[in-house]
């Protein structure tokens, strides 16, 4: 059948137009599908990123904050040591270095060691004695529940009461530990008793071993802590000649 040329091209144009429109719609569908897929993938990466942030960044941040807090606490404590001990220059540097080293090498932190240094300084001991006594104080703290402040108080008062040297802090710790093992006199109750009886016992020439033994015996009888110290103090004062 013969068709006019215009009709032929018109038909061809209509066919091409339909094909083009179909292809265009298909492309839009493909684009929409790809876009949705990429959006989902993006969301997945975003969620993973958030999880990684929480899983890694948060612990690191908390650890960093804790480290800063510990450092600030230590510096604050060392300022107290410096103020109470009066140590300056190289003496203070030695105290600070000792606290840091013992904090790294033992179960106690550098701040806890600094607290023990402050306890000794508050009892009038000089830098050299404080440093010499740290080993004994830490030994006593280890057998008495880990309280360095209590241990430094107990050791310091014993050294003063019985005119002992700082190097004998380890021996004081041994005496307290033996008394705790052989009687009901734990470190805290022994320290309380010594605060009352120690000065009189020391002035009468009694040794720390004899005094600790007497306090231990009374502790076994139920007279503990300050009561034991007052009882022993009163007894010694009455036995003294002159009273």
């Amino acid at each position: 059948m013969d068709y006019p040329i215009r009709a032929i091209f018109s038909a061809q144009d209509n066919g091409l137009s339909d094909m083009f429109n179909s292809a265009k719609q298909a492309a839009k569908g493909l684009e929409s599908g790809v876009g949705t897929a990429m959006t989902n993938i993006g969301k997945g990466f975003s969620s993973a990123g958030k999880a990684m942030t929480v899983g890694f960044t948060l612990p690191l941040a908390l650890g960093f904050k804790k480290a800063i807090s510990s450092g600030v606490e230590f510096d604050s404590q060392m300022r107290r040591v410096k103020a109470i001990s009066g140590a300056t220059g190289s003496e203070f540097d030695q105290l600070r270095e000792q606290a840091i080293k013992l904090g790294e090498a033992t179960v106690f932190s550098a701040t806890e060691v600094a607290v023990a240094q402050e306890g000794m300084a508050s009892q009038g001991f000089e830098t050299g004695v404080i440093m010499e006594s740290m080993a004994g104080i830490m030994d006593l703290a280890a057998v008495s529940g880990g309280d360095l402040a209590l241990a430094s108080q107990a050791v310091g008062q014993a050294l003063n009461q019985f005119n002992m040297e700082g190097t004998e802090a380890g021996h004081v710790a041994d005496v307290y530990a033996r008394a705790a093992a052989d009687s009901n006199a734990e470190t805290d109750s022994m320290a309380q008793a010594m605060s009352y009886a120690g000065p009189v016992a020391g002035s009468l020439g009694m040794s720390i071993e004899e005094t600790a033994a007497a306090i231990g015996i009374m502790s076994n009888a139920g007279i503990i802590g300050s009561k034991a110290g007052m009882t022993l103090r009163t007894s010694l004062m009455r036995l003294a000649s002159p009273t």
Side-chain angles (χ1 to χ4, degrees):
M1 180 181 293
D2 294 332
Y3 292 95
I5 297 298
R6 182 175 294 177
I8 294 173
F9 279 105
S10 177
Q12 290 177 344
D13 288 342
N14 290 335
L16 291 173
S17 177
D18 292 340
M19 292 175 61
F20 178 77
N21 288 333
S22 298
K24 187 176 180 180
Q25 292 298 323
K28 285 184 177 180
L30 179 61
E31 180 182 359
S32 176
V34 172
T36 301
M38 293 302 293
T39 299
N40 291 335
I41 292 173
K43 289 181 179 179
F45 277 115
S46 177
S47 298
K50 290 179 180 178
M52 291 176 67
T53 299
V54 174
F56 294 97
T57 306
L58 183 58
L60 289 174
L62 292 175
F64 185 63
K65 180 179 180 181
K66 183 177 181 180
I68 292 177
S69 177
S70 298
V72 171
E73 185 180 3
F74 173 68
D75 288 337
S76 176
Q77 181 59 47
M78 287 308 304
R79 283 194 292 270
R80 290 178 59 85
V81 173
K82 183 176 183 179
I84 295 174
S85 67
T88 58
S90 61
E91 288 185 342
F92 177 71
D93 291 339
Q94 290 173 10
L95 288 170
R96 182 183 180 86
E97 183 178 356
Q98 183 188 50
I100 293 174
K101 286 184 176 180
L102 291 176
E104 294 174 346
T106 69
V107 297
F108 302 103
S109 69
T111 301
E112 290 174 321
V113 177
V115 169
Q117 291 176 339
E118 179 192 345
M120 293 295 289
S122 65
Q123 297 181 75
F125 292 103
E126 298 180 352
T127 301
V129 178
I130 293 174
M131 296 184 67
E132 288 177 352
S133 63
M134 278 300 109
I137 290 172
M138 297 181 80
D139 287 343
L140 180 56
V143 300
S144 62
D147 191 336
L148 276 176
L150 172 62
S152 65
Q153 178 186 2
V155 169
Q157 71 180 16
L159 294 178
N160 277 328
Q161 291 164 352
F162 297 95
N163 297 315
M164 302 171 71
E165 300 293 332
T167 53
E168 298 180 89
H171 179 63
V172 173
D174 291 340
V175 171
Y176 273 66
R178 183 60 184 268
D182 293 348
S183 69
N184 291 330
E186 299 296 336
T187 300
D188 56 345
S189 63
M190 177 66 73
Q192 291 175 13
M194 281 289 186
S195 66
Y196 289 95
V200 176
S203 67
L204 293 177
M206 290 180 63
S207 67
I208 185 174
E209 294 87 353
E210 292 171 326
T211 307
I215 293 172
I217 292 171
M218 286 188 288
S219 296
N220 287 340
I223 308 172
I224 299 174
S226 59
K227 291 182 178 180
M230 285 296 295
T231 301
L232 180 59
R233 176 190 177 94
T234 302
S235 300
L236 292 175
M237 292 178 68
R238 288 177 176 175
L239 291 173
S241 180
T243 59

